[in-house]
Amino acid sequence: MNAYISQWRLDLTASAHSARHVRRIVRSLLREWELPELSDAAELGVTELVANVVRHVPDRRCVVLVLRLESGVRVEVADGASGLPCPVPESDGEAECGRGLALLDAVVGKWGAGPRSGGGKTVWFECVKP
């Protein structure tokens, strides 16, 4: 690992344009951490998670955390809503929500969600070096 920072955190109230700004920051961090090969997957993943905050969290407040791992990168998005994400079954191509999580599952190494201490939830994913 290089000598640069090993994590980045942002507290924000998400809007329709937030994902674009966070995506640029993630791309920049991955370049700085010499992990540009993970940019496509990480940018798509963070876009989906921030968009879900805009769609499903009433106050739209969230915390985005990007962690440099020895094997790649982990991105976490925490919010105050207690409902955990539920991907739709692959057979339900007509579903209006949950398809973004299926896409996330297809492009990242692993992902998950869980309750946060103090309330709310954290949704995370990891992208690992090939």
Side-chain angles (χ1 to χ4, degrees), residues 78-107:
D79 62 57
S82 59
L84 295 176
C86 181
V88 295
E90 286 182 35
S91 61
D92 192 355
E94 299 299 313
E96 299 216 2
C97 62
R99 292 192 321 226
L101 294 173
L103 181 60
L104 179 69
D105 190 52
V107 300

Side-chain angles (χ1 to χ4, degrees), residues 21-38:
H21 300 297
V22 174
R23 199 169 45 241
R24 287 179 182 156
I25 292 166
V26 167
R27 183 182 319 129
S28 177
L29 286 169
L30 292 174
R31 228 182 3 254
E32 183 176 304
W33 292 341
E34 299 176 0
L35 296 170
E37 68 275 16
L38 302 180

